[in-house]
Amino acid sequence: MNAVREESGERKWFVMYDLIVAGGKLITAEETFSSDLAIQGGRICAVGTDLQGKETIRADGLYVLPGAVDPHVHLQMPIGETASSDTWKTGTIAAACGGTTTVIDFVEPEPGESMLQALSARRAEAEGQTLIDYALHMTITEAMMEKLDEIPSVLDAGVPSFKLYTTYPGMKLNDYQMLDAMQAVGKIGGIVLVHSENDAITRFHTEALLREGRFGPDAHPLSRPALAEEEAVYRVLKLAQTADASVYIVHISTAGGSAALAQAAAAGQSAWGETCPQYLLLTEEKYQGGFEAAKYVCAPPLRAAAHQAALWRSLSRGELHTIGTDHCPFYFNGQKDLGKDNFTRIPGGLPGIQSRLALLHTFGVLEGHISLNQWVALCSTRPAQIFGLYPQKGALQPGSDADIVLFDPNLKKTLTHSSLSENVDYSPYEGFKLSGMPVQVYAHGMKVASDGRYTGANHTGSFIRGTV
Ligand code: DUC
Ligand code: ZN
């Protein structure tokens, strides 16, 4: 990669990199500065000026971001009688088109299967199918309580994060089981992710609503009220403190959940929180208007505007640490309609893997809730740090993977379902007016998306190991 040139009659050696990204404004979690960036062998090799490359991409007027890391997605995830509609292939293409270059999905062992068997099976499913790199969280359901001694081997296999549920039959752990699981994860220095909704409160309301003949999706938010989350977040934090485990509360949707987390973190607990675009941008009014409302059925449900305002405040104060999508798409026609006679049978989940960066730039940065650096921290750097992928991911540093997004802050687009690559028949953000879009996306230095479309790149992502 060394080359020579003549300068005033003298021979000067210089480094000739594969690719230079020149003239852009680099935005990291910490700072904003104008610089060029050199890529060699799929990695970032230098950040500076006067870099020479075989090829140069001009990024004048553009932001240069570390590829976004989505810490919470569900691709081809079986749920009840169906499965989420994006495959490893379609979901990772959609992610890349939106500027996400790493996703973290889940392993959900079947009863009888070991954690390691389930991990290999999930990796085999993804192998060769993903356009971008992926990591995994392990799920500990009730059936896995006998198998907690596998946790150190799961870490050795590259998975330091373990998801627990306080609700859902077959998934939920009681408080004592949760303590046991948290302690086992805490001992290896791993982290527990917890879906926090009080199961008894949700059952109590669901059964009452069904007895009253409330079968439509307008009953869904009533069945999972804010206080079910608020109680569970508070309790889960106390359980994690007792068991001495780091904890990450997924998809926080309420003011009370976020406040409980802030209090725990301020008191020195190793506690992290995620919210999602749907809880920041959509409200519970979406549950009115007939069965169309099924498009918005997810758990926890969309909330009142006051919760939304509180979540934005928490983000701006740094009290929530990541924005994940919880991307879990189901076709309105053919999947969501499994629950047309009973809202409890509507598969829960929303699509969103492609639109996170642009939505958060428009409604977070430009509306003054978060800074540009917070935007990068929330969507890329923090998820990478919390789940042990940093600085391979989430950074623009020499040595980091050359996963790079060129983002045009002035490009305006109206979001339509037809402009997205997600494998689903609607977008919850249809008609949203976006200011700022990813225009070129690179994974390991290869262009994988351009102007929101897959370039057909001959590139395949791999499993990446998280560390503690
Ligand atoms: N909630 C959803 O709505 N879908 C996927 C999983 C979850 O927790
Ligand atoms: Zn989820």
Side-chain angles (χ1 to χ4, degrees), residues 301-337:
L302 306 179
R303 304 295 186 189
H307 288 287
Q308 205 173 69
L311 294 175
W312 280 120
R313 282 194 296 276
S314 301
L315 284 172
S316 71
R317 292 195 291 251
E319 294 168 359
L320 287 168
H321 309 95
T322 70
I323 297 174
T325 60
D326 198 4
H327 177 74
C328 191
F330 296 100
Y331 275 79
F332 178 65
N333 291 301
Q335 291 189 293
K336 289 280 187 183
D337 52 14

Side-chain angles (χ1 to χ4, degrees), residues 72 74 77 79 163 165 168 195 251 279 297-300 326 328 330 348-350:
H72 187 161
H74 301 274
M77 182 187 82
I79 169 167
K163 171 107 178 260
Y165 285 81
Y168 296 136
H195 176 128
H251 49 49
Y279 302 117
V297 166
C298 55
D326 198 4
C328 191
F330 296 100
L350 261 56

Side-chain angles (χ1 to χ4, degrees), residues 26-144:
L26 273 57
I27 321 274
T28 71
E30 296 83 27
E31 47 181 347
T32 302
F33 57 105
S34 295
S35 181
D36 300 343
L37 195 134
I39 296 168
Q40 180 75 33
R43 296 246 172 100
I44 296 173
C45 282
V47 177
T49 48
D50 202 21
L51 303 170
Q52 312 292 320
K54 292 178 205 147
E55 195 190 330
T56 298
I57 312 157
R58 294 301 316 178
D60 307 82
L62 305 179
Y63 295 155
V64 180
L65 317 172
V69 177
D70 193 334
H72 187 161
V73 305
H74 301 274
L75 302 177
Q76 56 187 87
M77 182 187 82
I79 169 167
E81 47 200 308
T82 187
S84 59
S85 56
D86 259 319
T87 61
W88 284 106
K89 186 166 187 171
T90 61
T92 55
I93 288 175
C97 291
T100 291
T101 50
T102 305
V103 291
I104 317 185
D105 205 300
F106 296 83
V107 181
E108 293 187 346
E110 299 286 338
E113 207 177 19
S114 75
M115 292 188 200
L116 288 173
Q117 282 166 342
L119 173 58
S120 333
R122 190 74 169 138
R123 282 190 57 182
E125 204 181 81
E127 190 61 33
Q129 297 296 310
T130 67
L131 177 62
I132 54 172
D133 288 345
Y134 70 99
L136 291 164
H137 307 295
M138 176 61 65
T139 309
I140 304 180
T141 59
E142 199 167 9
M144 302 316 288

Side-chain angles (χ1 to χ4, degrees), residues 164-166 173 175 178-179 182 192-198 229-243 245-250 264 269 271:
L164 318 178
Y165 285 81
T166 59
L173 303 185
D175 288 359
M178 203 155 277
L179 282 170
M182 286 174 164
V192 286
L193 296 86
V194 189
H195 176 128
S196 306
E197 288 183 289
N198 181 300
E229 173 176 295
E230 290 164 351
E231 185 282 331
V233 170
Y234 183 83
R235 178 166 41 96
V236 161
L237 288 164
K238 295 299 173 197
L239 294 172
Q241 186 181 9
T242 306
S246 290
V247 62
Y248 174 97
I249 313 286
V250 293
Q269 191 173 345

Side-chain angles (χ1 to χ4, degrees), residues 155-435:
L155 170 65
D156 290 344
V159 177
S161 46
F162 294 79
K163 171 107 178 260
L164 318 178
Y165 285 81
T166 59
T167 186
Y168 296 136
M171 307 289 273
K172 68 172 189 285
L173 303 185
N174 64 36
D175 288 359
Y176 197 87
Q177 290 168 324
M178 203 155 277
L179 282 170
D180 268 349
M182 286 174 164
Q183 187 178 48
V185 174
K187 272 191 188 146
I188 56 146
I191 184 164
V192 286
L193 296 86
V194 189
H195 176 128
S196 306
E197 288 183 289
N198 181 300
D199 187 61
I201 295 176
T202 62
R203 268 181 44 216
F204 178 81
H205 287 297
T206 304
E207 285 166 18
L209 286 158
L210 295 176
R211 274 197 307 275
E212 289 162 23
R214 300 282 304 268
F215 294 109
D218 57 331
H220 172 68
L222 307 175
S223 72
R224 310 184 89 88
L227 68 87
E229 173 176 295
E230 290 164 351
E231 185 282 331
V233 170
Y234 183 83
R235 178 166 41 96
V236 161
L237 288 164
K238 295 299 173 197
L239 294 172
Q241 186 181 9
T242 306
D244 199 17
S246 290
V247 62
Y248 174 97
I249 313 286
V250 293
H251 49 49
I252 294 179
S253 66
T254 59
S258 180
L261 175 74
Q263 202 177 30
Q269 191 173 345
S270 177
W272 311 99
E274 165 196 277
T275 190
C276 312
Q278 53 270 36
Y279 302 117
L280 295 165
L281 300 173
L282 305 171
T283 55
E284 62 188 7
E285 280 71 39
K286 293 285 184 197
Y287 294 117
Q288 303 309 318
F291 194 70
E292 280 284 303
K295 291 180 176 172
Y296 302 93
V297 166
C298 55
L302 306 179
R303 304 295 186 189
H307 288 287
Q308 205 173 69
L311 294 175
W312 280 120
R313 282 194 296 276
S314 301
L315 284 172
S316 71
R317 292 195 291 251
E319 294 168 359
L320 287 168
H321 309 95
T322 70
I323 297 174
T325 60
D326 198 4
H327 177 74
C328 191
F330 296 100
Y331 275 79
F332 178 65
N333 291 301
Q335 291 189 293
K336 289 280 187 183
D337 52 14
L338 290 167
K340 64 184 181 317
D341 300 321
N342 183 334
F343 74 89
T344 65
R345 302 216 180 97
I346 299 170
L350 261 56
I353 204 166
Q354 192 167 344
S355 32
R356 179 178 57 140
L357 264 189
L359 286 171
L360 267 296
H361 180 262
T362 305
F363 299 101
V365 177
L366 297 183
E367 303 232 331
H369 297 296
I370 52 174
S371 69
L372 277 174
N373 308 101
Q374 283 177 307
W375 173 55
V376 170
L378 289 160
C379 295
S380 176
T381 308
R382 285 297 215 161
Q385 288 170 331
I386 293 170
F387 296 111
L389 309 175
Y390 183 87
Q392 183 184 354
K393 305 295 182 186
L396 292 176
Q397 292 176 10
S400 299
D401 286 347
D403 292 354
I404 292 166
V405 177
L406 304 190
F407 189 93
D408 182 349
N410 298 311
L411 186 61
K412 294 196 183 345
K413 285 235 161 112
T414 299
L415 193 154
T416 57
H417 158 251
S418 60
S419 67
L420 299 174
S421 301
E422 296 168 351
N423 182 35
V424 65
D425 56 356
Y426 74 99
S427 167
Y429 307 105
E430 186 74 31
F432 275 50
K433 303 234 175 311
L434 300 173
S435 292

